[in-house]
Amino acid sequence: MLDLGLSSPRCGRRTFLRVGSLAALGGYGPFSLPDLLWAGALAPGGVVRDRAVVLLHMQGGPSQLETFDPKPQAPVEMRPATDAVATRVAGLSFGAGFPKLAARADRLTVVQSFVPGDASHDIKPVVSAATGKASLGAIYGRVAGTTHPTSGLPRSVWLNPVSIAADAEKPAAQFGNYADPGLLGAGYAPFSPGSGGPLQEAMRLSLPRARFDDRRSLLASLDGLRRTVDAGGTIEGLDRFQQQAFQVIVNGAADAFDLAQEDPRVVARYDTAPLVTPDQIDRKWRNYEKYVSHAKSLGKLMLMARRLVERGVGFVTVSTDFVWDNHADSNNCGVVEGMRYCGLPFDHAVSNFLDDLEARGLADKVLLVCVGEIGRTPRLNARGGRDHWGNLGPLLMAGGGLPRGRVYGRSTRDGREPPSDPVTQRHRVGTLLHALFDVGRVRLIPGMPTDLLRTAEARPIAGLA
């Protein structure tokens, strides 16, 4: 038995059952789907803000000098390898590979004093000591509830190339698990479409009638489940939760995760595959397939992220694969080539995402955060690449009530570090959580783990929350 740590005025003690018939539901650990819907319905009021976060991990660590903090006036050996382009914010320039974002800079918050903290490849933007060693998506689920109370969709989702293409490869696991729930428990792991299991199989609107009937049978099997409550206690509305479970399986989830339901013109507008085709990528790099996957998938992943947040998903993590590690070694290309393979799809996908949020009235409700796990050395290596650097890295944010057209902090003339007031991982995490929660009230939720409370109390970036 596993205790979610939530309390209900309708039952003094609840026991959640390990369910044999539904334990295989992808992304939901040992709980039955109605169990998790029930947990979502018990999320305390007043704590969760009407906002969502989309966290785009630029895995591999992009260079600050070729992205959002170029230094064309630096000593020649430390200048960016690409040209700089002026943005719509006075005095701010971006690397030349990001012209579309430069034209939208008046909607962005650019942090030029962000310190990743070390130079190690991992997934620290999502899981780290600063997050209590649980994914930020799992933390969101623990506070907000695991499912949306009306749509029944998972409140936290991890999207990666297998989410949109069955033949894609999952991102390399050696750097960490994006869905890691830590000590919160498996029931809070973000749902990852493409992970397999009956729920994943049901995420298709083109279900044959026989499959539809099978789902009805699956729902009927829930009638055999019984919850243990205190003597004399009752759980009201059990049928409602059973029906909601059915809707998740055959309707709500299918629609949100099915890009075939989107206007084909919108899909085409987001699509990054035509921008960098496989024949335009040099096959000599061992990461060739990763570059191909990044270009094929990033635009559609950002479109799916938009579809999810407008339907009530509160935390979406997006990752492609290990593509920003621009050393210019046998595995990876250098920074000039890397800005074509990685930056061009990024510039296009993120710009379209921002335009969509603006057009749909979601710009102030959805916070987009784009960040890598490390930055890059100020000095190019002899091969035209940049090596690992933990003292400065790019951090780009937009929406969620943050100031628009803002440059926060500054770096030294050579792009090496901030001269003062560094923004740390704790500050970044605090900014996200303050956008999502009334953090002062999180402590009032019964059973909140100490590590989660410590994480929630991280100070946000001054002036941005």
Side-chain angles (χ1 to χ4, degrees):
M1 295 181 181
L2 295 174
D3 181 11
L4 288 181
L6 298 170
S7 64
S8 167
R10 292 176 289 188
C11 50
R13 177 173 62 87
R14 296 183 318 283
T15 300
F16 289 95
L17 306 176
R18 290 183 180 270
V19 183
S21 62
L22 289 178
L25 283 175
Y28 284 104
F31 303 112
S32 74
L33 188 51
D35 285 337
L36 293 170
L37 293 169
W38 182 259
L42 292 173
V47 175
V48 182
R49 303 189 193 279
D50 185 21
R51 286 191 185 134
V53 164
V54 175
L55 174 55
L56 173 53
H57 180 204
M58 304 165 77
Q59 191 179 24
S63 163
Q64 63 275 19
L65 293 164
E66 279 76 33
T67 54
F68 314 121
D69 191 13
K71 304 288 186 181
Q73 305 306 318
V76 63
E77 68 274 14
M78 294 182 178
R79 290 177 189 171
T82 61
D83 292 333
V85 58
T87 75
R88 295 190 67 174
V89 174
L92 175 66
S93 59
F94 285 173
F98 302 87
K100 294 179 180 179
L101 285 173
R104 293 161 176 81
D106 55 344
R107 305 184 211 166
L108 306 175
T109 296
V110 181
V111 179
Q112 294 187 338
S113 56
F114 175 61
V115 177
D118 62 48
S120 300
H121 282 310
D122 49 31
I123 58 169
K124 69 173 73 70
V126 183
V127 182
S128 70
T131 69
K133 299 185 179 179
S135 77
L136 286 167
I139 291 172
Y140 183 81
R142 180 62 180 83
V143 176
T146 52
T147 56
H148 192 276
T150 55
S151 71
L153 284 166
R155 293 296 291 265
S156 176
V157 176
W158 168 35
L159 299 177
N160 59 74
V162 301
S163 303
I164 59 169
D167 59 347
E169 292 186 10
K170 280 190 175 182
Q174 71 263 35
F175 301 117
N177 174 16
Y178 284 95
D180 190 348
L183 296 178
L184 298 178
Y188 294 104
F191 175 67
S192 179
S195 59
L199 182 60
Q200 176 66 27
E201 287 299 312
M203 283 186 184
R204 300 171 186 168
L205 289 181
S206 57
L207 288 171
R209 183 67 201 181
R211 290 290 306 283
F212 187 88
D213 291 339
D214 286 346
R215 302 283 78 76
R216 288 268 183 203
S217 298
L218 181 59
L219 179 65
S221 72
L222 300 178
D223 292 333
L225 302 177
R226 293 293 181 265
R227 300 173 184 268
T228 302
V229 295
D230 286 339
T234 62
I235 295 180
E236 301 170 1
L238 181 58
D239 289 344
R240 176 168 67 89
F241 289 105
Q242 289 181 319
Q243 182 62 29
Q244 194 176 348
F246 172 65
Q247 293 300 327
V248 171
I249 294 172
V250 301
N251 191 344
D255 177 71
F257 290 92
D258 187 359
L259 294 184
Q261 303 306 306
E262 188 63 64
D263 184 335
R265 293 170 297 182
V266 175
V267 177
R269 176 164 54 83
Y270 267 89
D271 193 8
T272 48
L275 301 177
V276 183
T277 57
D279 61 292
Q280 295 174 323
I281 300 173
D282 197 328
R283 288 181 174 272
K284 73 180 181 182
W285 309 115
R286 292 178 184 172
N287 274 349
Y288 170 82
E289 295 294 343
K290 292 181 172 61
Y291 297 138
V292 171
S293 176
H294 174 80
K296 286 175 61 176
S297 64
L298 183 57
K300 291 180 178 178
L301 290 172
M302 294 305 295
L303 173 55
M304 188 177 289
R306 188 269 288 164
R307 289 176 59 81
L308 293 175
V309 294
E310 69 182 347
R311 287 162 172 80
V313 176
F315 201 101
V316 180
T317 304
V318 179
S319 63
T320 53
D321 209 334
F322 194 75
V323 293
W324 292 92
D325 195 27
N326 300 149
H327 285 289
D329 55 17
S330 59
N331 294 319
N332 313 278
C333 62
V335 289
V336 174
E337 201 171 345
M339 290 304 115
R340 294 201 306 270
Y341 300 162
C342 310
L344 184 59
F346 178 94
D347 184 54
H348 181 86
V350 173
S351 295
N352 274 281
F353 181 79
L354 294 173
D355 289 350
D356 243 4
L357 295 185
E358 199 77 29
R360 293 167 181 267
L362 296 172
D364 289 333
K365 290 189 175 183
V366 180
L367 172 60
L368 172 67
V369 180
C370 304
V371 62
E373 73 273 15
I374 58 175
R376 291 283 148 181
T377 52
R379 189 184 299 271
L380 285 167
N381 63 34
R383 303 175 302 276
R386 295 191 189 274
D387 301 317
H388 297 188
W389 190 251
N391 293 344
L392 193 71
L395 174 57
L396 182 74
M397 299 187 288
L402 295 188
R404 291 180 169 220
R406 174 81 176 272
V407 180
Y408 184 92
R410 63 187 179 90
S411 58
T412 52
R413 182 169 174 261
D414 56 4
R416 178 177 296 274
E417 59 193 2
S420 62
D421 301 321
V423 171
T424 67
Q425 295 288 354
R426 287 273 293 170
H427 293 132
R428 180 186 60 84
V429 169
T431 303
L432 269 64
L433 296 186
H434 275 75
L436 292 169
F437 306 131
D438 180 343
V439 296
R441 302 186 66 179
V442 171
R443 183 172 288 278
L444 303 178
I445 304 173
M448 281 287 115
T450 301
D451 284 350
L452 189 152
L453 293 173
R454 188 178 299 114
T455 298
E457 291 169 353
R459 292 185 179 181
I461 301 171
L464 294 189

